[in-house]
Amino acid sequence: MIVFWIDMSLFDILLFLIFVLSSVLWLRSRRPASYPPGPTPLPIIGNLHNVAKKDFMQAIRDLRQNYGDIISLSLGSYWVVFVNGSENLRELFVKHANETSDRPPLFIFKLVKNKGVIASSGPNWKHQRTFALSKLRDFGFGKRSFESSILEEIENFLNLFESFKGKSFDLPGIIRTSLSNNVMSITVGRRFQYDDPKFRYFVNLLDEVNNTAALSGALNFIPILEKLPGDPFGAKRILEVANEFFDNFFGEELKEHRETLDENNIRDFIDAYLVQMKTVEPSNEYYTDEQLLSVIADLFGAGTETSATTIEWAFVYLMNDMDIQIKMRQEIDDIVGTGRLPTMSDKHNLPYCEAVVIETFRLGNVVPFSLPHNASEDIYFKGYIIPKNAVIMPCLDSVAHDENLFPDSHSFKPDRFLDENGKICGQDKILSFSLGRRVCLGESLARMEVFHTLQLCPKVRNFLPPEGESPPPVKGQLGVTYSPEVSKLRAISLT
């Protein structure tokens, strides 16, 4: 044996080590026969080449055509299982909720160290979600008692439209500013003027958080990329932005609330959380400043980004089909009249308008893969094993474009949600807010925000593309959400 090593050249030794390493990586990346099917992984890169060569959403659709509804891919250091189809999703995330409700230790979740609601798991997730939902309901979150705040914001929203006097303006910025104020009124107890420097700083910071997070996708599966020089995947920048978000803006709000707290006069969510912190033992890890700041960040993620993107999609569809705007306006005029604006109490009498909202949630498809789940133990599912610690991706996109549920699924057809009597039907088929225990925290608020925005705007405005331009393409790009390419439009007053 000694002679063997002595006789080998340095080049031979290098080749031998490469062979051994490649063999080990090949064996590690081989798909066990009991796992769901998928393309053959390559050494080192696994199946990265199968999803990196084209649009990610289209790549998963193509793999489904070849391998079926349940697919497994070797991505970085994880086995990732993609679950397609309404029945499969409902069975896995409802019937197997105990094994599928945790979050995996991906980069984007490790940033907040199992804090807050969205990124946490286990007992901490249960504590934060239960408390947050309870207190948000107390403040009218998603209820008609909160409607006046949303209507006030809509009025400011429409007044801002009026100030442009028919000229084109930036749509995403205005929508996010408006919706952020809805969450502000609950979390910090007040709304901000759109030109308030502190508020503008916050909205810009929120945009950068989302934009930076969109660049960091590869870090979730290949952590070593975090160490590359130059920060090409935004690892360092997202940490900086997150710290700025917590410390500079909400850190100041938290300090001010603590100094002015009156336990007999709870003003907002921050006050309620501070009182809760006082009622538990100092050693209680579930109610801390860090947890509070993480929950607040979750509320803005759940109540702003997805709603804003959904409304952007709605404007794209409305600009591409003026007949829909006309039908919505006619229904509102017939039922509500011209003397006031619609409210939630009018909703059941505005079925076509409601159908437009539901179809926007479906076709907008703003979170096509929900958020990743973790298999806390081996799961025997549909004849396969989803291995413990696998990352599970719910493919909500597969439901939004299920031709059996929604014929001609890539077309915007609100009438598909109306029965022969003109009543709403079939809305339970869509899974836009995910399902199971991890259903979106901000669903009730999002539904109210989108309903009001879409009902009020057609009543008083025509929405058109910038002068001399065609309607924006019905085409999206996948980042933090699946968002349209529209950036500008015109609002033309009807009076």
Side-chain angles (χ1 to χ4, degrees):
M1 186 67 180
I2 295 176
V3 174
F4 169 74
W5 279 105
I6 291 175
D7 287 346
M8 288 183 70
S9 68
L10 181 61
F11 180 72
D12 292 331
I13 294 173
L14 182 60
L15 285 178
F16 177 74
L17 291 175
I18 290 174
F19 172 76
V20 171
L21 179 61
S22 298
S23 299
V24 170
L25 291 172
W26 176 264
L27 289 173
R28 284 188 61 189
S29 66
R30 288 181 63 188
R31 176 181 291 99
S34 59
Y35 286 15
T40 302
L42 299 178
I44 302 178
I45 66 171
N47 292 115
L48 287 173
H49 64 295
N50 295 114
V51 295
K53 62 184 179 181
K54 62 176 72 173
D55 171 79
F56 184 78
M57 190 156 62
Q58 188 59 50
I60 301 304
R61 290 174 180 172
D62 292 344
L63 289 171
R64 183 190 184 194
Q65 290 292 320
N66 294 325
Y67 298 99
D69 285 346
I70 318 296
I71 309 161
S72 67
L73 301 179
S74 174
L75 300 179
S77 53
Y78 296 95
W79 279 103
V80 183
V81 177
F82 293 83
V83 182
N84 295 273
S86 178
E87 293 306 314
N88 291 329
L89 289 165
R90 293 178 192 277
E91 182 174 343
L92 182 61
F93 293 104
V94 176
K95 294 183 179 180
H96 292 272
N98 289 336
E99 305 99 307
T100 60
S101 292
D102 286 347
R103 293 296 188 209
L106 304 181
F107 172 81
I108 197 68
F109 294 139
K110 289 192 291 185
L111 280 176
V112 292
K113 302 175 182 177
N114 194 35
K115 292 182 173 64
V117 179
I118 292 177
S120 63
S121 299
N124 183 64
W125 168 68
K126 293 179 181 178
H127 275 275
Q128 303 304 326
R129 184 179 177 87
T130 300
F131 179 83
L133 285 174
S134 172
K135 296 306 174 183
L136 289 172
R137 290 191 187 105
D138 290 345
F139 292 111
F141 192 77
K143 295 183 179 180
R144 290 183 183 178
S145 57
F146 188 60
E147 186 173 25
S148 59
S149 295
I150 294 180
L151 290 174
E152 178 186 359
E153 205 55 53
I154 290 290
E155 291 284 4
N156 285 283
F157 187 57
L158 294 177
N159 289 338
L160 190 57
F161 282 0
E162 185 69 34
S163 70
F164 292 105
K165 301 185 183 302
K167 296 181 179 179
S168 59
F169 56 88
D170 175 62
L171 176 65
I174 290 177
I175 291 175
R176 280 163 175 74
T177 300
S178 176
L179 297 186
S180 293
N181 251 337
N182 290 332
V183 184
M184 281 290 185
S185 65
I186 292 177
T187 54
V188 304
R190 67 186 188 279
R191 71 174 301 279
F192 291 80
Q193 295 298 319
Y194 291 169
D195 58 356
D196 184 301
K198 183 178 181 180
F199 187 52
R200 292 304 313 161
Y201 164 76
F202 166 77
V203 173
N204 291 335
L205 200 60
L206 194 62
D207 284 344
E208 187 167 2
V209 168
N210 291 324
N211 293 336
T212 310
L215 294 174
S216 65
L219 295 169
N220 290 315
F221 301 103
I222 314 175
I224 196 172
L225 297 177
E226 184 181 349
K227 308 299 181 184
L228 292 179
D231 198 30
F233 294 93
K236 298 180 180 64
R237 182 54 188 157
I238 194 171
L239 286 170
E240 293 170 357
V241 174
N243 289 333
E244 197 173 351
F245 181 87
F246 290 133
D247 297 340
N248 291 3
F249 189 86
F250 283 109
E252 291 182 9
E253 287 290 338
L254 178 54
K255 179 182 178 182
E256 180 182 325
H257 275 67
R258 180 169 275 126
E259 292 172 350
T260 59
L261 178 65
D262 178 357
E263 295 184 31
N264 295 315
N265 180 28
I266 305 302
R267 299 163 293 185
D268 48 46
F269 185 79
I270 292 180
D271 275 359
Y273 206 99
L274 289 175
V275 170
Q276 176 70 6
M277 288 168 62
K278 285 191 170 188
T279 64
V280 298
E281 294 293 330
S283 60
N284 190 306
E285 63 181 317
Y286 300 126
Y287 300 98
T288 64
D289 286 3
E290 292 78 14
Q291 294 282 8
L292 169 56
L293 292 174
S294 294
V295 173
I296 290 174
D298 291 341
L299 295 179
F300 276 95
T304 299
E305 180 61 26
T306 53
S307 296
T309 306
T310 302
I311 292 170
E312 287 171 28
W313 274 115
F315 282 120
V316 169
Y317 302 137
L318 293 179
M319 282 190 284
N320 276 276
D321 194 333
M322 292 299 297
D323 287 342
I324 293 177
Q325 294 193 49
I326 294 170
K327 289 181 70 174
M328 291 177 71
R329 185 179 305 116
Q330 186 62 56
E331 183 177 67
I332 293 171
D333 287 345
D334 290 345
I335 301 301
V336 179
T338 58
R340 65 178 178 87
L341 296 173
T343 65
M344 292 299 289
S345 62
D346 299 308
K347 182 178 176 180
H348 68 285
N349 291 320
L350 299 170
Y352 185 78
C353 291
E354 177 64 3
V356 171
V357 172
I358 299 170
E359 178 71 339
T360 300
F361 279 124
R362 181 196 71 82
L363 188 56
N365 194 24
V366 299
V367 190
F369 298 101
S370 188
L371 287 171
H373 293 237
N374 185 70
S376 57
E377 57 185 74
D378 285 352
I379 303 171
Y380 295 86
F381 186 70
K382 299 294 182 180
Y384 306 114
I385 292 179
I386 298 176
K388 181 179 180 179
N389 295 325
V391 176
I392 309 175
M393 300 294 291
C395 298
L396 306 184
D397 172 70
S398 67
V399 180
H401 292 292
D402 186 332
E403 290 293 326
N404 293 318
L405 296 175
F406 310 109
D408 194 14
S409 66
H410 289 276
S411 297
F412 189 76
K413 295 182 176 181
D415 295 274
R416 72 172 80 244
F417 291 105
L418 297 174
D419 64 17
E420 63 276 9
N421 298 314
K423 302 296 184 181
I424 290 293
C425 66
Q427 61 177 319
D428 58 320
K429 296 177 184 177
I430 66 171
L431 298 177
S432 302
F433 296 94
S434 197
L435 73 170
R437 294 178 184 174
R438 286 284 185 171
V439 67
C440 178
L441 179 68
E443 177 177 355
S444 58
L445 177 61
R447 288 186 181 278
M448 185 178 283
E449 289 176 326
V450 175
F451 172 82
H452 275 299
T453 303
L454 297 194
Q455 305 329 302
L456 300 188
C457 294
K459 179 174 174 59
V460 294
R461 299 287 186 278
N462 267 331
F463 292 98
L464 303 170
E467 192 168 3
E469 296 185 15
S470 300
V474 184
K475 181 180 179 182
Q477 53 188 0
L478 185 60
V480 171
T481 57
Y482 182 63
S483 56
E485 297 181 356
V486 63
S487 60
K488 293 184 179 296
L489 57 69
R490 290 181 295 148
I492 307 300
S493 176
L494 298 178
T495 57

